[in-house]
């Protein structure tokens, strides 16, 4: 088939590479300009550079809603558009233009975790699986019929970075497998169960601020979800920002006020956690490694030279 690709960052790069390696003909690539947004500077392999290296024409757009782009797309005469990590709305006159419509590749197990940063949100929420879905685009975001979907398990110590590397390897087989079904003439795919749909927003500074009223299990997953190279989860100690780089759920149960710097346990320092921490039935979060406001990384047992005081959400 003759393909136009819309994509950005490493997800788009992997999709384009899969198309270039396939039997299909890539006629045009549309990608976003570079961004200084914290999450868009991560996994930022250039779609434009890959396309140009293979002699594929490239169009740069923030939004694909202008007449000039529409004319370029009509001239490209695609059988199908393939999109992955396109960050803005694609209007119906574009996604319906190709003979076979538009195939969107999304890094979640739709209908759950539509929208943005699905791996991070899924890890924070304790999901047992994540994956990649190829679905036909329709008028509702990430809601079209599923053509192909593959999953990987989430392990007890996995970080969002671990899950990225495992799911990004699914992009090529999911994309080419879905295209094979479409090229073979299939038109009936699996409708999404919209009663199970969830939709998540882009992550920002507020989403990585630690709330010590959360259970320790949830805070531990937040720390793993915000693993390097993502911005680290943070709190404040004595009015200064403190990033939490590594932590585990405590073995013992600790009661008191959430955020209290309480007790050394193993290689960590236990922080009281959970809205009902006064009951004494909760596990704490044993912080093992931190980064200070001036960029120093050190074991928590070296940073917390004395027990007592509190970690807080604000200075």
């Amino acid at each position: 088939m003759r393909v136009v690709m819309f994509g950005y960052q490493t997800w788009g790069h992997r999709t384009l590479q899969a198309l270039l390696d396939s039997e299909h003909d890539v006629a045009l690539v549309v990608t976003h300009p570079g961004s200084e947004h914290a999450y868009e500077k991560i996994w930022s392999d250039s779609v434009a550079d890959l396309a140009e290296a293979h002699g594929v024409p490239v169009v740069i757009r923030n939004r694909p809603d202008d007449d000039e782009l529409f004319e370029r797309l009509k001239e490209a005469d695609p059988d199908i558009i393939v999109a992955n990590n396109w960050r803005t709305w694609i209007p119906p006159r574009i996604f319906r233009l190709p003979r076979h419509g538009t195939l969107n590749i999304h890094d979640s197990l739709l209908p759950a975790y539509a929208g943005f940063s699905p791996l991070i949100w899924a890890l924070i929420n304790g999901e047992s699986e994540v994956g990649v879905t190829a679905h036909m685009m329709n008028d509702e975001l990430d809601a079209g019929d599923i053509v192909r979907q593959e999953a990987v398990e989430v392990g007890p110590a996995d970080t969002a970075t671990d899950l990225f590397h495992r799911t990004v390897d699914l992009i090529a087989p999911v994309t080419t497998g879905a295209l094979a079904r479409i090229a073979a003439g299939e038109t009936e795919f699996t409708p999404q169960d919209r009663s199970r749909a969830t939709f998540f927003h882009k992550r920002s500074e507020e989403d990585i601020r630690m709330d010590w009223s959360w259970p320790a299990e949830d805070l531990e997953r937040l720390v793993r979800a915000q693993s390097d190279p993502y911005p680290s989860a943070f709190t404040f100690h004595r009015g200064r920002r403190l990033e939490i780089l590594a932590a585990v759920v405590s073995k013992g149960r600790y009661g008191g006020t959430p955020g209290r710097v309480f007790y050394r346990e193993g290689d960590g320092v236990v922080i009281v956690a959970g809205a009902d921490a006064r009951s004494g039935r909760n596990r704490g979060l044993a912080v093992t490694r931190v980064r200070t406001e001036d960029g120093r990384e050190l074991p928590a047992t070296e940073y917390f030279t004395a027990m007592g005081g509190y970690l807080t959400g604000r200075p």
Side-chain angles (χ1 to χ4, degrees), residues 194-243:
R194 302 309 296 158
S195 69
R196 295 176 49 240
T198 54
F199 182 58
F200 286 81
H201 60 74
K202 289 182 180 181
R203 292 186 64 77
S204 68
E205 179 89 348
E206 194 61 31
D207 300 307
I208 61 175
R209 187 189 306 274
M210 300 186 76
D211 181 344
W212 295 100
S213 69
W214 285 19
E217 293 82 1
D218 292 0
L219 290 169
E220 187 268 345
R221 290 196 300 271
L222 174 63
V223 171
R224 285 192 283 125
Q226 295 298 147
S227 60
D228 185 67
Y230 295 103
S232 299
F234 72 95
T235 186
F236 287 88
H237 183 230
R238 297 174 179 169
R240 298 177 70 86
R241 182 176 173 125
L242 182 69
E243 295 181 359

Coordinates of all heavy atoms in Angstrom, one line a residue, residues 194-243:
R194 N -16.7 0.7 25.1 CA -16.5 2.1 25.6 C -16.8 2.2 27.1 O -16.5 3.2 27.7 CB -17.4 3.0 24.8 CG -17.1 3.0 23.3 CD -15.6 3.3 23.0 NE -15.1 4.6 23.5 CZ -13.9 4.8 23.7 NH1 -13.0 3.9 23.7 NH2 -13.5 6.1 24.1
S195 N -17.5 1.2 27.7 CA -17.7 1.2 29.1 C -16.4 1.0 29.9 O -16.4 1.3 31.1 CB -18.7 0.1 29.5 OG -18.2 -1.2 29.4
R196 N -15.4 0.5 29.3 CA -14.1 0.3 29.9 C -13.1 1.4 29.6 O -11.9 1.4 30.0 CB -13.5 -1.0 29.5 CG -14.3 -2.2 30.0 CD -13.8 -3.5 29.5 NE -12.3 -3.6 29.7 CZ -11.4 -3.8 28.8 NH1 -11.8 -3.8 27.5 NH2 -10.1 -3.8 29.1
A197 N -13.5 2.4 28.8 CA -12.6 3.4 28.3 C -12.1 4.4 29.5 O -12.9 4.8 30.3 CB -13.2 4.2 27.2
T198 N -10.8 4.7 29.5 CA -10.3 5.8 30.3 C -9.4 6.7 29.5 O -8.8 6.2 28.6 CB -9.5 5.2 31.5 OG1 -8.5 4.3 31.0 CG2 -10.4 4.3 32.4
F199 N -9.4 7.9 29.9 CA -8.7 8.9 29.1 C -7.8 9.8 30.1 O -8.4 10.3 31.1 CB -9.7 9.8 28.4 CG -9.1 10.8 27.5 CD1 -8.2 10.5 26.5 CD2 -9.4 12.2 27.7 CE1 -7.7 11.5 25.7 CE2 -8.9 13.2 26.9 CZ -8.0 12.8 25.9
F200 N -6.5 9.9 29.8 CA -5.6 10.6 30.7 C -5.0 11.8 30.1 O -4.7 11.8 28.9 CB -4.5 9.6 31.2 CG -5.0 8.6 32.2 CD1 -5.7 7.5 31.8 CD2 -4.8 8.8 33.5 CE1 -6.2 6.6 32.7 CE2 -5.3 7.9 34.5 CZ -6.0 6.8 34.0
H201 N -4.7 12.8 30.9 CA -4.1 14.1 30.4 C -2.6 14.0 30.4 O -2.0 13.1 30.9 CB -4.6 15.3 31.2 CG -4.2 15.2 32.7 ND1 -2.9 15.4 33.2 CD2 -4.9 14.9 33.8 CE1 -2.9 15.3 34.5 NE2 -4.1 15.0 34.9
K202 N -2.0 15.0 29.8 CA -0.5 15.1 29.8 C 0.0 15.3 31.2 O -0.7 15.9 32.0 CB 0.0 16.3 29.0 CG -0.2 16.2 27.5 CD 0.3 17.4 26.8 CE 0.2 17.3 25.3 NZ 0.7 18.5 24.6
R203 N 1.1 14.7 31.5 CA 1.7 14.9 32.9 C 2.5 16.2 32.9 O 3.0 16.7 32.0 CB 2.6 13.7 33.2 CG 1.8 12.4 33.3 CD 2.6 11.3 33.8 NE 3.2 11.5 35.2 CZ 2.4 11.3 36.3 NH1 1.2 11.0 36.2 NH2 3.0 11.5 37.5
S204 N 2.4 16.8 34.2 CA 3.1 18.1 34.4 C 3.8 18.0 35.8 O 3.7 17.0 36.5 CB 2.0 19.2 34.3 OG 1.1 19.1 35.5
E205 N 4.3 19.1 36.2 CA 5.0 19.3 37.5 C 4.1 18.8 38.6 O 4.6 18.1 39.5 CB 5.4 20.7 37.7 CG 6.1 21.0 39.0 CD 7.6 20.9 38.9 OE1 8.1 20.3 37.9 OE2 8.3 21.3 39.8
E206 N 2.9 19.2 38.6 CA 2.0 18.9 39.7 C 1.8 17.4 39.8 O 1.5 16.9 41.0 CB 0.6 19.5 39.5 CG -0.3 19.6 40.7 CD 0.3 20.3 41.9 OE1 1.1 21.3 41.6 OE2 0.0 19.9 43.0
D207 N 1.9 16.6 38.8 CA 1.7 15.2 38.8 C 2.8 14.4 39.4 O 2.7 13.2 39.6 CB 1.4 14.7 37.4 CG 0.2 15.3 36.8 OD1 -0.9 15.3 37.4 OD2 0.3 15.9 35.6
I208 N 4.0 15.0 39.6 CA 5.1 14.3 40.2 C 5.4 14.8 41.6 O 6.4 14.4 42.3 CB 6.4 14.4 39.3 CG1 6.8 15.9 39.1 CG2 6.1 13.8 38.0 CD1 8.1 16.0 38.4
R209 N 4.5 15.7 42.1 CA 4.6 16.1 43.5 C 4.1 15.0 44.5 O 3.0 14.6 44.3 CB 3.8 17.4 43.7 CG 4.0 18.1 45.1 CD 3.0 19.2 45.2 NE 3.1 20.2 44.1 CZ 3.9 21.2 44.1 NH1 4.7 21.4 45.1 NH2 3.9 22.0 43.1
M210 N 4.9 14.6 45.4 CA 4.5 13.5 46.3 C 3.5 13.9 47.3 O 3.7 15.0 48.0 CB 5.7 12.8 46.9 CG 6.7 12.3 45.9 SD 8.1 11.4 46.6 CE 7.3 9.8 47.0
D211 N 2.5 13.1 47.5 CA 1.4 13.4 48.4 C 1.5 12.3 49.5 O 1.1 11.1 49.2 CB 0.0 13.4 47.7 CG -1.1 13.7 48.7 OD1 -0.9 13.6 49.9 OD2 -2.2 14.0 48.2
W212 N 1.9 12.6 50.7 CA 2.2 11.6 51.7 C 1.0 11.0 52.3 O 1.1 10.1 53.1 CB 3.2 12.1 52.8 CG 4.5 12.4 52.1 CD1 5.0 13.7 51.7 CD2 5.5 11.5 51.8 NE1 6.2 13.5 51.1 CE2 6.6 12.2 51.1 CE3 5.6 10.1 51.9 CZ2 7.7 11.6 50.7 CZ3 6.8 9.5 51.4 CH2 7.8 10.2 50.8
S213 N -0.2 11.5 51.9 CA -1.4 10.8 52.3 C -1.8 9.6 51.4 O -2.7 8.9 51.7 CB -2.6 11.8 52.3 OG -2.9 12.2 50.9
W214 N -1.0 9.5 50.3 CA -1.2 8.3 49.5 C -0.6 7.1 50.3 O 0.4 7.2 51.0 CB -0.4 8.4 48.2 CG -0.9 9.3 47.1 CD1 -1.9 10.3 47.3 CD2 -0.5 9.3 45.8 NE1 -2.1 10.9 46.1 CE2 -1.3 10.3 45.1 CE3 0.4 8.5 45.0 CZ2 -1.2 10.5 43.8 CZ3 0.5 8.8 43.7 CH2 -0.2 9.8 43.1
P215 N -1.1 5.9 50.0 CA -0.5 4.7 50.6 C 0.9 4.5 50.1 O 1.3 4.9 48.9 CB -1.4 3.5 50.1 CG -2.7 4.2 49.7 CD -2.3 5.6 49.2
A216 N 1.8 3.9 50.9 CA 3.2 3.7 50.5 C 3.3 2.9 49.2 O 4.2 3.2 48.4 CB 3.9 3.0 51.6
E217 N 2.4 2.0 48.9 CA 2.5 1.2 47.7 C 2.3 2.1 46.5 O 3.0 1.9 45.5 CB 1.4 0.1 47.7 CG 1.6 -1.0 48.8 CD 1.1 -0.6 50.2 OE1 0.6 0.5 50.3 OE2 1.3 -1.4 51.1
D218 N 1.4 3.0 46.6 CA 1.2 4.0 45.5 C 2.3 4.9 45.3 O 2.7 5.2 44.1 CB -0.1 4.8 45.7 CG -1.4 3.9 45.7 OD1 -1.3 2.7 45.4 OD2 -2.5 4.5 45.9
L219 N 2.9 5.4 46.4 CA 4.1 6.3 46.3 C 5.3 5.5 45.7 O 6.0 6.1 44.9 CB 4.4 6.8 47.7 CG 3.4 7.8 48.2 CD1 3.7 8.1 49.7 CD2 3.4 9.1 47.5
E220 N 5.5 4.3 46.1 CA 6.6 3.5 45.5 C 6.4 3.4 44.0 O 7.4 3.5 43.3 CB 6.6 2.1 46.2 CG 7.8 1.3 45.8 CD 7.6 0.3 44.7 OE1 6.4 0.1 44.3 OE2 8.5 -0.2 44.1
R221 N 5.2 3.1 43.5 CA 5.0 3.0 42.1 C 5.2 4.4 41.4 O 5.7 4.4 40.3 CB 3.6 2.5 41.8 CG 3.4 1.0 42.2 CD 2.2 0.4 41.5 NE 1.0 1.1 41.9 CZ 0.2 0.8 42.9 NH1 0.6 -0.2 43.7 NH2 -0.9 1.5 43.2
L222 N 4.8 5.5 42.1 CA 5.1 6.8 41.5 C 6.6 7.0 41.3 O 7.0 7.5 40.3 CB 4.5 7.9 42.4 CG 4.8 9.3 42.0 CD1 4.2 9.7 40.6 CD2 4.4 10.3 43.1
V223 N 7.4 6.6 42.3 CA 8.8 6.8 42.1 C 9.4 6.0 41.0 O 10.2 6.4 40.2 CB 9.5 6.4 43.5 CG1 11.0 6.3 43.3 CG2 9.2 7.4 44.6
R224 N 8.9 4.7 40.8 CA 9.3 3.9 39.7 C 8.8 4.5 38.3 O 9.5 4.4 37.3 CB 8.8 2.5 39.8 CG 9.6 1.7 40.9 CD 9.3 0.2 40.8 NE 8.0 -0.1 41.4 CZ 7.0 -0.8 40.8 NH1 7.1 -1.2 39.5 NH2 5.9 -1.1 41.5
A225 N 7.6 5.0 38.4 CA 7.1 5.6 37.1 C 7.8 6.8 36.7 O 8.0 7.0 35.5 CB 5.6 6.0 37.3
Q226 N 8.4 7.6 37.6 CA 9.1 8.8 37.3 C 10.6 8.5 37.3 O 11.4 9.3 37.8 CB 8.7 9.9 38.2 CG 7.3 10.3 38.1 CD 6.9 10.9 36.8 OE1 5.8 10.8 36.3 NE2 7.9 11.6 36.1
S227 N 11.0 7.4 36.7 CA 12.4 7.0 36.7 C 13.1 7.7 35.6 O 12.5 8.2 34.6 CB 12.5 5.5 36.4 OG 11.9 5.2 35.2
D228 N 14.5 7.9 35.8 CA 15.3 8.5 34.8 C 15.1 7.8 33.4 O 15.0 6.6 33.3 CB 16.8 8.4 35.2 CG 17.7 9.1 34.2 OD1 17.6 10.3 34.2 OD2 18.5 8.4 33.5
P229 N 14.9 8.6 32.3 CA 15.1 10.0 32.1 C 13.9 10.9 32.4 O 13.9 12.1 32.1 CB 15.5 10.1 30.7 CG 14.7 9.1 30.0 CD 14.6 7.9 31.0
Y230 N 12.8 10.4 32.9 CA 11.7 11.2 33.3 C 12.0 12.1 34.5 O 12.8 11.7 35.3 CB 10.4 10.3 33.6 CG 9.9 9.5 32.4 CD1 10.2 8.2 32.3 CD2 9.2 10.1 31.4 CE1 9.8 7.4 31.2 CE2 8.8 9.4 30.3 CZ 9.1 8.1 30.2 OH 8.6 7.3 29.1
P231 N 11.3 13.2 34.6 CA 11.5 14.0 35.8 C 11.1 13.2 37.1 O 10.1 12.5 37.1 CB 10.5 15.2 35.6 CG 10.3 15.2 34.1 CD 10.3 13.8 33.7
S232 N 12.0 13.3 38.1 CA 11.8 12.5 39.3 C 10.7 13.1 40.2 O 10.4 14.3 40.3 CB 13.1 12.5 40.1 OG 14.1 11.9 39.4
A233 N 10.0 12.1 40.9 CA 9.0 12.5 41.9 C 9.7 13.4 43.0 O 10.9 13.1 43.3 CB 8.4 11.3 42.5
F234 N 9.0 14.3 43.5 CA 9.7 15.2 44.5 C 8.8 15.6 45.6 O 7.6 15.4 45.6 CB 10.2 16.5 43.8 CG 9.1 17.5 43.4 CD1 8.7 18.5 44.2 CD2 8.4 17.3 42.2 CE1 7.7 19.4 43.9 CE2 7.4 18.2 41.8 CZ 7.0 19.2 42.7
T235 N 9.5 16.0 46.7 CA 8.8 16.5 47.9 C 9.7 17.7 48.4 O 10.6 18.1 47.7 CB 8.7 15.3 48.9 OG1 8.0 15.7 50.1 CG2 10.1 14.9 49.4
F236 N 9.3 18.2 49.6 CA 10.1 19.2 50.2 C 10.6 18.8 51.6 O 9.8 18.2 52.4 CB 9.4 20.5 50.3 CG 9.2 21.2 48.9 CD1 8.1 20.9 48.1 CD2 10.1 22.1 48.5 CE1 8.0 21.4 46.9 CE2 10.0 22.7 47.2 CZ 8.9 22.3 46.4
H237 N 11.8 19.1 52.0 CA 12.3 18.9 53.3 C 13.0 20.1 53.8 O 13.9 20.7 53.2 CB 13.4 17.7 53.2 CG 13.9 17.3 54.6 ND1 15.3 17.2 54.8 CD2 13.3 17.0 55.8 CE1 15.4 16.9 56.1 NE2 14.3 16.7 56.7
R238 N 12.5 20.6 54.9 CA 13.0 21.9 55.5 C 12.9 23.0 54.5 O 13.8 23.8 54.4 CB 14.4 21.7 56.0 CG 14.4 20.7 57.2 CD 15.9 20.4 57.6 NE 15.9 19.5 58.8 CZ 17.0 18.9 59.2 NH1 18.1 19.1 58.7 NH2 16.9 18.1 60.3
G239 N 11.9 23.0 53.7 CA 11.6 24.1 52.7 C 12.4 24.0 51.4 O 12.2 24.8 50.5
R240 N 13.2 22.9 51.2 CA 14.0 22.8 50.0 C 13.5 21.5 49.2 O 13.2 20.5 49.8 CB 15.5 22.7 50.3 CG 16.0 23.9 51.0 CD 17.5 23.7 51.4 NE 18.3 23.7 50.2 CZ 18.8 24.8 49.6 NH1 18.5 26.0 50.1 NH2 19.6 24.7 48.6
R241 N 13.5 21.6 47.9 CA 13.0 20.5 47.1 C 14.0 19.3 47.2 O 15.2 19.5 47.2 CB 13.0 21.0 45.6 CG 12.5 20.0 44.6 CD 12.4 20.6 43.2 NE 12.1 19.6 42.2 CZ 11.1 19.7 41.4 NH1 10.3 20.8 41.4 NH2 10.8 18.8 40.4
L242 N 13.4 18.1 47.3 CA 14.1 16.9 47.4 C 13.5 15.9 46.5 O 12.3 15.6 46.6 CB 14.1 16.4 48.9 CG 14.9 15.1 49.1 CD1 16.4 15.4 49.1 CD2 14.5 14.6 50.5
E243 N 14.3 15.4 45.5 CA 13.8 14.4 44.6 C 14.0 13.0 45.2 O 15.1 12.7 45.7 CB 14.5 14.5 43.2 CG 14.2 15.9 42.5 CD 14.8 16.0 41.2 OE1 15.6 15.1 40.8 OE2 14.6 17.0 40.5

